[in-house]
Amino acid sequence: MKRSHDWQEQLRALLHCDLKSLYPLAREKSRKLIFYVGPTNSGKTYAAMQKLMAADCGSYLAPLRLLALENYETLKANEIPVSLITGEEEIIDEESAHVCSTIEMANFQIDIDVCVIDEVQMLSDRERGWAWVNAIVGIPAETVILTGSVNALNAIREIAKYLGEELEVVKFRRKNPLEMMEYPIPLKEIPPHTALITFSRSDVLALKNRLSRRHRVSVLYGNLSPEVRREEARRFRMGESDILVATDAIAMGLNLPIETLLFTTDEKFDGISRRPLTPNEVIQIAGRAGRYGHHESGYIGATSRKVLDHITEMFHSPLKSIKPPFQVKATPSQIQQLSEHLGTKNLPKILKFFAENMRFDGPFVAANIGSMIEVSRLIDAKKGLTLEEKYMLSQAPVSTRSPLIKSAFLFYVDSIIKKKVVRYKPSIKLKGTARTELELLKAEDEVKKISLYLWLSFKLPDLFPDTQKAITARTLVNRYCEASLKVKKLLPAKPKPTEKEGRRPGGRRERTPPRRGGGYRGKRGRRR
């Protein structure tokens, strides 16, 4: 009985965590938190980077690899030795005392003067919010500068109160005004320097095909690699294209000379359901218009009256504040200890138990990360992996919706089990440019497969040694994607039905749509 009681007490202690105690180096310092809060185009990130560049040592933590790369280049341009660390690459300057990295690669073991944590409103993100929580709580810097929008202000105050640390709030105002348009603008009348917003890759490419008859068009959407997004943004910035078609991938990370921003829809699919856009989403996207130094004002509108009415209402609505609790991901140590207490190495079960039973001091809750659990189920079906390997692999950048990436990942996992060296091999042959949207999609997925290989080469360099070969291949595939997006029209992924396919069951021809004047026209155009 005593042994059972001791086991229960140990489990109860394990399931209670004071998050700040996991970061002893940060707790040894008298940290100061500074929140640079303001809308898009207010100069808050620029001001934060100036503080970082003036420091003897420090780090910049980015929400995107694209932003880590851009600020790495900014520091280099200012002749500051700097290293770059993302999930896919390390560019180490032995002389550097500054690092730019993606937030998931934050280093909690190095004492620094200044750390800039960008876009802190991301702490509410279902899949990645834990990384911002860890960074805010655990970075061992004398000064921690947070940048973000006003809807994160109460959240940051809550975390600062829990930490017992000083918080200074510095408010920034937008440098030039945004104006809502009174009337919709049809596609035929859109002016240069306009960005059109939609919320799916297929809609972006359909609009590109349609607009390319009259305009030079750049595109931005989430499935494009950071390098291709940069090139598309450069084309728009340099005037090589006059129209930009984008998803909400535009909302973060790119400075673009957009004068007019038009929503083509007021709904999006959020992974669960199709729903109307919220004030936070509309305001974040709208803020990309009217870039300071390029245009005196930014104009926000839509391509239809229905969409314009909803966008106007959301634009003038208050931002919804981010509220606790904030998600915290399990540490490898917690996973190992739970495994021992539960008597199982089944990772999905351990993750589920963690999410349902772990309790934290302060405004935090155990994370239930859907993508991680989905990947862990794939891994757990394999025999021969240690629990540590399973947990590491469950965090790999895997899109299970892509057959190419899913099959590549499972092949890589089998190779890890067999301790077999994996050479990078391309899955596609590149010829000229993509002719169809499907060919372009295959190239985009190949870049993601390369990213997965590079992520594994970072974790397991002995088994995945072709780092340079994969980087070279990524450059070639990115160039192929860039060239393909310059083509005026890509054929749809599904070809149009042939004349034979267009017949009704029974062999009768489908009627063509009615034309002006009424009636239907037969084979030779005579009215019936």
Side-chain angles (χ1 to χ4, degrees):
M1 288 291 292
K2 185 177 186 301
R3 187 175 180 181
S4 174
H5 177 74
D6 289 346
W7 181 88
Q8 289 177 347
E9 285 298 314
Q10 289 171 359
L11 183 60
R12 191 175 293 113
L14 175 60
L15 291 173
H16 175 258
C17 178
D18 184 8
L19 184 62
K20 61 179 178 285
S21 68
L22 300 181
Y23 302 98
L25 192 55
R27 302 289 77 79
E28 291 171 7
K29 305 183 76 64
S30 298
R31 299 194 317 167
K32 180 178 181 180
L33 306 179
I34 306 176
F35 187 15
Y36 285 5
V37 59
T40 306
N41 205 10
S42 61
K44 58 186 183 295
T45 304
Y46 174 82
M49 293 306 295
Q50 293 299 306
K51 292 285 188 182
L52 176 62
M53 288 191 285
D56 290 336
C57 59
S59 65
Y60 166 75
L61 302 180
L64 302 170
R65 178 171 163 259
L66 176 65
L67 276 173
L69 182 58
E70 283 197 348
N71 282 292
Y72 165 77
E73 291 176 348
T74 297
L75 266 66
K76 285 189 72 176
N78 282 273
E79 299 182 347
I80 297 172
V82 59
S83 295
L84 174 70
I85 301 175
T86 73
E88 300 176 25
E89 67 227 311
E90 273 192 351
I91 303 175
I92 303 298
D93 183 338
E94 298 295 342
E95 302 297 320
S96 70
H98 290 76
V99 177
C100 291
S101 74
T102 45
I103 194 159
E104 286 86 353
M105 302 302 292
N107 191 325
F108 299 99
Q109 307 304 320
I110 297 179
D111 192 338
I112 54 177
D113 292 341
V114 173
C115 177
V116 174
I117 305 175
D118 206 359
E119 305 286 2
V120 292
Q121 70 274 6
M122 286 288 291
L123 63 83
S124 66
D125 186 86
R126 285 198 305 260
E127 295 289 321
R128 299 178 64 212
W130 60 268
W132 276 263
V133 171
N134 287 356
I136 295 166
V137 173
I139 282 293
E142 298 288 342
T143 303
V144 181
I145 302 176
L146 316 170
T147 74
S149 57
V150 69
N151 62 318
L153 181 54
N154 289 338
I156 298 304
R157 283 176 171 154
E158 284 266 358
I159 294 173
K161 181 180 177 182
Y162 157 74
L163 293 171
E165 294 181 338
E166 179 187 357
L167 172 65
E168 178 185 352
V169 177
V170 181
K171 295 183 178 180
F172 287 73
R173 298 183 65 179
R174 188 179 166 87
K175 290 181 176 293
N176 55 3
L178 282 176
E179 299 179 23
M180 276 301 308
M181 304 175 79
E182 293 184 23
Y183 304 100
I185 298 181
L187 289 177
K188 291 181 180 179
E189 298 175 14
I190 56 175
H193 311 298
T194 293
L196 292 165
I197 304 301
T198 187
F199 293 94
S200 74
R201 175 185 182 274
S202 59
D203 287 344
V204 167
L205 293 176
L207 278 168
K208 175 189 179 296
N209 284 347
R210 184 174 174 184
L211 292 167
S212 291
R213 301 168 194 164
R214 298 186 183 90
H215 300 278
R216 295 164 298 158
V217 182
S218 288
V219 298
L220 293 172
Y221 51 87
N223 208 50
L224 293 176
S225 70
E227 290 83 0
V228 176
R229 285 190 233 178
R230 286 184 80 190
E231 172 58 17
E232 288 295 288
R234 184 201 65 78
R235 290 179 58 223
F236 184 72
R237 193 162 49 243
M238 300 304 292
E240 294 174 21
S241 60
D242 58 307
I243 300 296
L244 176 67
V245 184
T247 64
D248 48 359
I250 198 177
M252 193 185 300
L254 290 165
N255 296 326
L256 297 160
I258 298 166
E259 184 172 17
T260 304
L261 188 144
L262 302 176
F263 288 82
T264 64
T265 179
D266 58 352
E267 295 181 335
K268 68 176 287 187
F269 181 73
D270 61 5
I272 299 171
S273 62
R274 191 168 180 82
R275 57 163 178 78
L277 297 176
T278 65
N280 292 28
E281 290 165 339
V282 169
I283 291 167
Q284 179 72 20
I285 295 168
R288 310 312 295 184
R291 194 70 198 171
Y292 181 70
H294 291 277
H295 306 289
E296 291 184 5
S297 298
Y299 300 94
I300 310 303
T303 55
S304 71
R305 170 52 64 185
K306 172 187 172 294
V307 173
L308 182 61
D309 288 345
H310 180 73
I311 296 301
T312 302
E313 181 185 352
M314 294 299 100
F315 182 78
H316 292 298
S317 298
L319 284 168
K320 185 178 179 181
S321 289
I322 297 168
K323 295 181 179 179
F326 313 114
Q327 293 200 32
V328 178
K329 190 177 76 170
T331 66
S333 174
Q334 287 168 337
I335 292 293
Q336 188 63 49
Q337 290 177 60
L338 284 173
S339 170
E340 292 169 3
H341 276 81
L342 298 174
T344 181
K345 294 189 182 298
N346 183 298
L347 184 57
K349 285 184 179 178
I350 297 169
L351 291 172
K352 187 172 184 289
F353 187 86
F354 172 84
E356 292 175 351
N357 296 280
M358 196 72 183
R359 298 293 177 265
F360 291 90
D361 290 345
F364 308 109
V365 67
N368 185 9
I369 303 171
S371 60
M372 195 170 168
I373 291 173
E374 188 177 0
V375 175
S376 74
R377 290 194 184 108
L378 289 177
I379 299 164
D380 221 71
K382 303 283 186 180
K383 305 297 182 185
L385 291 169
T386 66
L387 183 61
E388 183 181 4
E389 288 172 331
K390 287 181 183 180
Y391 190 56
M392 180 268 289
L393 290 168
S394 73
Q395 300 170 73
V398 179
S399 173
T400 55
R401 290 176 296 177
S402 166
L404 171 65
I405 298 166
K406 184 177 177 180
S407 64
F409 178 65
L410 293 174
F411 172 75
Y412 294 155
V413 171
D414 286 337
S415 300
I416 292 168
I417 293 169
K418 297 171 185 175
K419 301 293 187 286
K420 183 179 177 182
V421 172
V422 182
R423 298 293 179 182
Y424 168 72
K425 293 181 181 178
S427 305
I428 59 172
K429 291 183 178 180
L430 305 177
K431 292 182 179 179
T433 59
R435 294 169 297 170
T436 68
E437 292 177 17
L438 182 58
E439 287 181 3
L440 178 60
L441 178 61
K442 288 179 179 178
E444 293 166 7
D445 280 356
E446 181 67 17
V447 175
K448 289 191 171 184
K449 191 190 96 171
I450 294 169
S451 294
L452 173 60
Y453 184 94
L454 290 171
W455 187 87
L456 288 165
S457 74
F458 191 82
K459 304 286 184 182
L460 303 166
D462 292 340
L463 292 181
F464 296 84
D466 284 352
T467 304
Q468 195 53 53
K469 183 179 178 182
I471 290 171
T472 301
R474 182 176 65 187
T475 301
L476 293 174
V477 182
N478 278 330
R479 286 176 182 168
Y480 172 84
C481 291
E482 290 164 8
S484 300
L485 289 171
K486 291 176 185 175
V487 174
K488 283 201 169 185
K489 186 171 184 178
L490 290 167
L491 297 174
K494 292 182 179 179
K496 292 181 180 179
T498 62
E499 184 177 345
K500 187 174 181 180
E501 290 169 333
R503 294 178 183 272
R504 289 181 178 177
R508 291 179 60 193
R509 180 184 296 278
E510 289 278 15
R511 285 182 170 182
T512 54
R515 300 193 180 187
R516 291 178 185 175
Y520 288 91
R521 294 188 183 274
K523 187 173 181 181
R524 297 186 181 178
R526 292 195 298 268
R527 189 171 295 162
R528 291 179 177 175

